[in-house]
Amino acid sequence: MLLKGDDRKHKIYAIFIYTGILVFGFVLNTIIIFAADNSAGFFVFFRMIGAIIVFSPFFMEQFMFSAVDDRNRTNYTATIGYEKNISNHIDHLKKIKEKITYGVIFEILKDLPRHNSFKYINKNSLSDEYFKKAYDTVNDENIYIVLSNTGSAASEVISIFTKKIYNHISISFDSNLETIISYNGGDHLYPPGLNHERIEWFNRKKDASLIIYKLAVPGKRKHLMIDKVSDINKAGNAYNILGLILKFSAKPNILFCSQFIYKLLKLAEINYFEMDDGEVRPTDFIELDYYRKLNFAYEIKFDSKPAGTNTVAAGFC
């Protein structure tokens, strides 16, 4: 009853396609792990294939669902609306061409081998000094939600599919962002997972920016949130890169940025919207704030030269 007509057909196609991509990914991993050829060229070749596998479900989703949307629109829109839709697709393709450059692809390929979505690879990256600062903020009964438009390679690619400017989210226990953390790629300094972020990490393009919102939380619940961060830091964690596509976590502490923030809010019983944590996107925290729980604090715009010289950091959001 839930699958009818063309919708049923497209869902069946999607199941077969995504299953095929998943199986191919496991086969590829097996080939690499048990390969007799350990040459550099061998690994570069399979890194390229790996990058295509990672992002292929996004492209398939765009292709399949845009096709369905186009077909449905013709049932009730005039020719002018259809032509506008074609124009929008052309503009979107131009943006894809602008964002998926050789440098972006190279950085993503370079960063992929550092990730693991099945075991913890990051542990104790947050220092005792960090937790001292965090616990010292308990009397400030607020947390700070930080949306960022970073310009990282992964963020630029993800923006193609989300069509959002802000594709990373962090949390800080103080207003000056001295305790800002999130799940990220570690900026090649730390393993991908839960890491203390540096403001300069966000300055990866000319128009990079941060928007900071304040959310009230009782002191005891804020303490509970910091305790949970400490537990994750001690137990180990990893960035949930596969979760961006498959919407699942192999282990409790394998998460992506918005998944982590939502879980923390829910733990403290201050989540102001209900959603499966694997489905939450960074902009949902703003767009689904129907009860106006968030208060705008301030914005940071980076007008100076982006951090780094000629490269773009991958740093999966």
Side-chain angles (χ1 to χ4, degrees), residues 244-255:
L244 294 172
I245 304 166
L246 303 178
K247 311 301 182 186
F248 90 106
S249 298
K251 290 186 175 183
N253 295 345
I254 298 180
L255 307 166

Side-chain angles (χ1 to χ4, degrees), residues 111-127:
D111 195 62
L112 277 176
R114 300 175 58 244
H115 291 262
N116 194 308
S117 292
F118 298 99
K119 66 178 183 180
Y120 297 152
I121 57 175
N122 184 321
K123 190 174 183 180
N124 294 323
S125 67
L126 302 179
S127 66

Side-chain angles (χ1 to χ4, degrees), residues 43-285:
F43 283 106
V44 169
F45 174 72
F46 279 104
R47 278 184 184 180
M48 293 179 64
I49 297 178
I52 294 171
I53 292 173
V54 168
F55 291 106
S56 59
F58 288 117
F59 285 109
M60 289 306 305
E61 182 179 14
Q62 288 287 107
F63 175 76
M64 294 185 67
F65 286 97
S66 65
V68 173
D69 288 342
D70 288 346
R71 189 186 66 253
N72 290 338
R73 285 193 189 98
T74 59
N75 294 331
Y76 60 87
T77 59
T79 304
I80 294 176
Y82 181 76
E83 290 175 349
K84 184 178 180 181
N85 183 54
I86 294 296
S87 177
N88 290 339
H89 277 293
I90 292 173
D91 290 340
H92 189 54
L93 288 174
K94 288 180 179 177
K95 290 180 180 178
I96 291 175
K97 185 178 179 180
E98 290 173 359
K99 292 186 175 184
I100 303 185
T101 63
Y102 172 79
V104 166
I105 294 173
F106 177 78
E107 288 300 328
I108 290 175
L109 290 173
K110 183 179 177 182
D111 195 62
L112 277 176
R114 300 175 58 244
H115 291 262
N116 194 308
S117 292
F118 298 99
K119 66 178 183 180
Y120 297 152
I121 57 175
N122 184 321
K123 190 174 183 180
N124 294 323
S125 67
L126 302 179
S127 66
D128 292 338
E129 181 183 358
Y130 170 84
F131 285 105
K132 182 181 183 305
K133 286 184 178 180
Y135 283 117
D136 284 345
T137 70
V138 170
N139 290 331
D140 172 13
E141 295 192 328
N142 294 287
I143 57 171
Y144 298 85
I145 303 295
V146 183
L147 278 175
S148 52
N149 171 23
T150 66
S152 71
S155 178
E156 291 296 283
V157 172
I158 291 171
S159 70
I160 293 171
F161 307 103
T162 63
K163 298 180 181 179
K164 305 289 185 181
I165 296 175
Y166 295 92
N167 290 290
H168 183 55
I169 190 166
S170 313
I171 187 171
S172 178
F173 298 107
D174 70 288
S175 61
N176 295 324
L177 309 186
E178 293 181 4
T179 55
I180 184 172
I181 54 171
S182 189
Y183 270 71
N184 55 50
D187 204 47
H188 299 287
L189 297 176
Y190 307 99
L194 178 62
N195 289 302
H196 186 194
E197 297 182 327
R198 304 171 190 268
I199 299 301
E200 57 267 25
W201 289 7
F202 300 107
N203 187 15
R204 296 295 178 184
K205 62 178 181 176
K206 187 172 63 175
D207 58 345
S209 61
L210 307 177
I211 300 181
I212 297 90
Y213 294 89
K214 182 167 62 174
L215 177 63
V217 55
K220 289 184 178 180
R221 293 184 185 178
K222 186 174 184 178
H223 198 288
L224 181 65
M225 296 173 78
I226 301 171
D227 286 344
K228 181 60 177 178
V229 170
S230 178
D231 291 342
I232 294 174
N233 186 56
K234 292 175 182 177
N237 52 85
Y239 184 83
N240 191 16
I241 188 171
L242 284 182
L244 294 172
I245 304 166
L246 303 178
K247 311 301 182 186
F248 90 106
S249 298
K251 290 186 175 183
N253 295 345
I254 298 180
L255 307 166
F256 49 81
C257 63
S258 52
Q259 193 178 20
F260 165 65
I261 305 299
Y262 185 78
K263 279 180 171 288
L264 271 188
L265 298 190
K266 196 159 190 177
L267 173 72
E269 299 179 352
I270 55 173
N271 58 304
Y272 43 89
F273 62 93
E274 289 292 335
M275 186 181 288
D276 185 294
D277 60 73
E279 300 286 343
V280 180
R281 298 182 300 180
T283 51
D284 287 335
F285 290 86

